[in-house]
Amino acid sequence: ELAALTGVDLNSSPESFAEAIFNYPNSAAEWVVVKRGPAGALLVTRDGHAVAVGCPEVKVGDTVGCGDSSAAAYVLGYLRARADASLDIGEALETTVTLATHVGSATAMNVGAGRNVARAETVLDLLNQGATGKTRGVSKVAASAALSVLKDAIARRLVDPVQVV
């Protein structure tokens, strides 16, 4: 999608795609996410912060809806970062991408376009695995932080306790 939108060569670095979006005429983007499928995702901010995170290996049932599901986690993270200036931006970004990749992975485990949304219990389980070091490319600290963010969002009813989106 980014290659078609920006004209950047498909084999370019993920950072090149982010730069092209930031430089796109009239772009107001503050964050750009480059999804990398089973390799995870990269988030780059307009002011130069970047974080890449892996994602859990799961048995894939259907990838329809994974991007939409993970987008909900990015919105939650963006709003959280904007609302609390005391957050360390690097940690907030890593937490956000970690939550998003886990939500996307949980969505992929289901089957049925339109019905395969991430179940909260599945995301919580995947994040618990990450927090104990069982997820390649994900730090235990980031998975623990993402777990706390999700639990808080559920407690505050910002997120459905059954389905994350």
Side-chain angles (χ1 to χ4, degrees), residues 3-165:
L5 177 64
T6 63
V8 173
D9 182 79
L10 191 58
N11 297 315
S12 297
S13 71
E15 293 84 0
S16 297
F17 289 104
E19 183 179 331
I21 293 294
F22 291 134
N23 293 325
Y24 200 78
N26 302 314
S27 172
E30 293 181 38
W31 289 11
V32 172
V33 176
V34 180
K35 298 178 294 180
R36 302 179 309 158
L42 169 76
L43 189 152
V44 180
T45 67
R46 183 174 288 277
D47 58 359
H49 291 92
V51 63
V53 172
C55 65
E57 291 183 31
V58 298
K59 183 177 181 194
V60 175
D62 190 343
T63 60
V64 173
C66 293
D68 295 329
S69 293
S70 64
Y74 287 112
V75 171
L76 177 64
Y78 177 80
L79 294 174
R80 183 173 164 265
R82 293 281 304 230
D84 188 350
S86 70
L87 292 174
D88 175 273
I89 190 63
E91 290 174 15
L93 295 175
E94 186 174 17
T95 298
T96 298
V97 181
T98 299
L99 179 58
T101 58
H102 284 67
V103 169
S105 294
T107 301
M109 294 170 70
N110 300 312
V111 178
R115 292 184 309 278
N116 64 327
V117 296
R119 300 198 47 85
E121 66 186 57
T122 305
V123 180
L124 291 167
D125 181 54
L126 291 173
L127 286 168
N128 274 316
Q129 291 176 37
T132 57
K134 298 177 183 170
T135 305
R136 178 179 42 90
V138 175
S139 83
K140 292 182 205 178
V141 172
S144 294
L147 188 58
S148 293
V149 167
L150 181 56
K151 286 179 178 179
D152 178 64
I154 291 170
R156 294 173 56 203
R157 298 203 176 269
L158 300 174
V159 174
D160 186 302
V162 176
Q163 297 177 334
V164 175
V165 282

